[in-house]
Amino acid sequence: MVEWITSDGLTEYQRAVDWMETRANAIAAGQADEAVWLLEHPALYTAGTSADPKDLTQPDRFPVHQTRRGGQYTYHGPGQRVVYVLLDVGKRGQDVRRFVRQLEAWVIATLAEFKVTGELRDGRVGVWVQRNDKPLGLMGQPQEDKIAALGIRLRKWVSFHGLSINVDPDLSHFDGIVPCGIQDHGVTSLVDLGLPVTMPDVDLALRHSFDQIFEADVK
């Protein structure tokens, strides 16, 4: 059974990390159910295990949190749905690559509920959208913007951290970092794409899409 938790307001980052650590240990010990936690953070940057210090271009703009999830620098803030995914990957096949593909497929299926085509790109972490409303690039190619980020950690085969989807954040806040170390592409959100989508809308889509991607996976 997966417990779904939704927090109103803004959740302090370290409090969220402490909760995830405790819950992941309890899941591994068989003392708690798996969980998906939906929340928003105050404006901050996080540095994953592969973060390059030069990619933090405005270090004094927002608090910076070092984190042991995979990946590089990311931004979290109001208007972004953060999804912490605490699942027993051991019971779901012990295949980390497959699990990451499932997370990616979950985001893509969620975006599809709003008729947004999310895509993956070799060498670029996260989920991307093609911007046919923007001028073509120098080589005549359509521009692409990132709409969702992913970064997980496993402990005793239990996942924590997870993903984030840009619903309606202040996109200028991404200017203080090179998001995920990728310089040549921008960042977008559902509202930036012209969709009048609310956070509860996204939560419903996440729940519906989760069942499609993950529920048949439990042993």
Side-chain angles (χ1 to χ4, degrees):
M1 179 178 177
V2 178
E3 180 184 6
W4 285 74
I5 305 165
T6 304
S7 293
D8 296 327
L10 302 178
T11 301
E12 195 272 330
Y13 184 77
Q14 190 57 51
R15 186 175 80 81
V17 172
D18 292 344
W19 183 90
M20 284 191 287
E21 297 261 1
T22 300
R23 183 63 174 250
N25 287 334
I27 293 169
Q31 299 171 349
D33 290 330
E34 297 175 304
V36 174
W37 186 12
L38 308 175
L39 68 152
E40 293 174 81
H41 285 306
L44 58 93
Y45 298 128
T46 65
T49 54
S50 302
D52 187 334
K54 72 175 183 295
D55 288 339
L56 181 62
T57 58
Q58 298 178 22
D60 299 323
R61 186 167 186 180
F62 297 123
V64 180
H65 294 265
Q66 301 294 322
T67 177
R68 287 176 284 180
R69 61 152 176 81
Q72 303 185 49
Y73 281 103
T74 60
Y75 165 77
H76 293 313
Q80 182 189 72
R81 177 49 87 209
V82 174
V83 186
Y84 288 138
V85 185
L86 292 95
L87 299 180
D88 190 335
V89 181
K91 292 181 179 179
R92 295 172 178 269
Q94 293 190 352
D95 188 332
V96 177
R97 290 185 180 180
R98 179 171 181 264
F99 179 64
V100 172
R101 290 196 299 269
Q102 287 177 311
L103 292 176
E104 293 168 338
W106 184 24
V107 173
I108 290 170
T110 298
L111 296 174
E113 300 257 339
F114 306 106
K115 302 189 185 306
V116 173
T117 301
E119 299 178 318
L120 306 178
R121 291 292 181 264
D122 290 340
R124 284 194 249 145
V125 179
V127 178
W128 300 79
V129 294
Q130 187 169 292
R131 298 302 301 269
N132 295 322
D133 57 323
K134 289 186 174 183
L136 296 177
L138 294 176
M139 303 300 293
Q141 78 281 10
Q143 294 191 49
E144 295 177 340
D145 288 341
K146 189 173 188 177
I147 195 167
L150 293 91
I152 64 164
R153 187 180 174 208
L154 292 181
R155 174 181 294 163
K156 298 179 181 178
W157 287 107
V158 176
S159 66
F160 53 114
H161 296 283
L163 59 95
S164 59
I165 298 175
N166 296 332
V167 181
D168 188 21
D170 185 337
L171 295 179
S172 72
H173 289 179
F174 287 88
D175 295 344
I177 57 172
V178 178
C180 298
I182 300 169
Q183 294 183 324
D184 299 331
H185 300 277
V187 180
T188 190
S189 69
L190 289 167
V191 171
D192 182 53
L193 293 174
L195 300 169
V197 177
T198 67
M199 202 68 74
D201 294 333
V202 173
D203 292 347
L204 286 173
L206 282 163
R207 183 64 181 268
H208 179 249
S209 301
F210 180 89
D211 292 341
Q212 295 176 17
I213 303 297
F214 288 101
E215 282 309 293
D217 199 40
V218 180
K219 293 183 178 180

